[in-house]
Amino acid sequence: MIYNKEFFEIVDQIERVTQTIKSSETFKAYATNRQNMYQDETVQALIDSFATEKRAFEHIEAYGEFAPGFKECRRSMRQAKRRLDMNDCVSDYRLAETNLQSLLDEITVSIATSISPSIKVDAGSPFFHSKSSCGGNCHA
């Protein structure tokens, strides 16, 4: 890569975009919800419980239905995951995270399409599939 004046101008512009994103309400909501989630003792207990159940399941997962207690262990892991997912702090964080990701996705598509409408942007999101002529499944 050649480092010239244009390169440094682009880096400066990226820094300005980054600072604008970090000062947005979307990012502030994400940061607040993330902090709240990781400081919540109930959430930490739910995370630990899920991690324990997941490790127990991973030990027997390779044996499948032949392992004693396979179904019960899998059910227990899924219940721990559901308890974690249904916690208000966790769901608020995930919503804020999704909103921030949507903002970043829109910025990415905007940059790509301003350069050329034929640039394909794929992040595994339905938003991107509509912007790509191949539905996001091109690997050429």
Side-chain angles (χ1 to χ4, degrees):
M1 169 167 278
I2 299 172
Y3 296 102
N4 55 22
K5 182 180 177 186
E6 288 82 17
F7 173 80
F8 292 110
E9 287 174 3
I10 291 171
V11 170
D12 290 342
Q13 291 172 1
I14 290 170
E15 184 61 33
R16 284 193 295 274
V17 169
T18 302
Q19 290 307 316
T20 301
I21 292 168
K22 286 183 176 181
S23 65
S24 72
E25 290 302 317
T26 302
F27 180 81
K28 288 176 186 174
Y30 165 78
T32 300
N33 283 301
R34 184 176 189 274
Q35 184 177 10
N36 291 344
M37 183 181 74
Y38 283 112
Q39 290 179 346
D40 189 298
E41 291 179 14
T42 303
V43 172
Q44 293 310 307
L46 290 169
I47 289 171
D48 291 343
S49 174
F50 171 65
T52 300
E53 296 293 339
K54 185 178 177 193
R55 278 191 300 275
F57 180 69
E58 287 172 345
H59 285 294
I60 65 170
E61 183 179 23
Y63 303 105
E65 298 286 331
F66 300 107
F70 176 81
K71 288 181 182 179
E72 293 81 10
C73 191
R74 181 177 60 191
R75 182 176 297 117
S76 179
M77 179 193 65
R78 288 180 177 169
Q79 288 172 340
K81 175 72 169 136
R82 178 146 176 85
R83 283 190 300 273
L84 176 62
D85 290 342
M86 296 304 293
N87 181 279
D88 288 339
C89 283
V90 174
S91 60
D92 291 345
Y93 166 72
R94 293 223 172 110
L95 178 62
E97 184 181 45
T98 300
N99 291 340
L100 178 60
Q101 184 63 52
S102 295
L103 174 65
L104 296 172
D105 292 348
E106 289 177 31
I107 291 168
T108 303
V109 168
S110 178
I111 292 169
T113 55
S114 70
I115 294 169
S116 171
S118 64
I119 293 176
K120 293 175 180 48
V121 180
D122 183 15
S125 163
F127 177 74
F128 290 104
H129 294 273
S130 65
K131 293 290 185 184
S132 173
S133 63
C134 65
N137 295 321
C138 297
H139 300 288

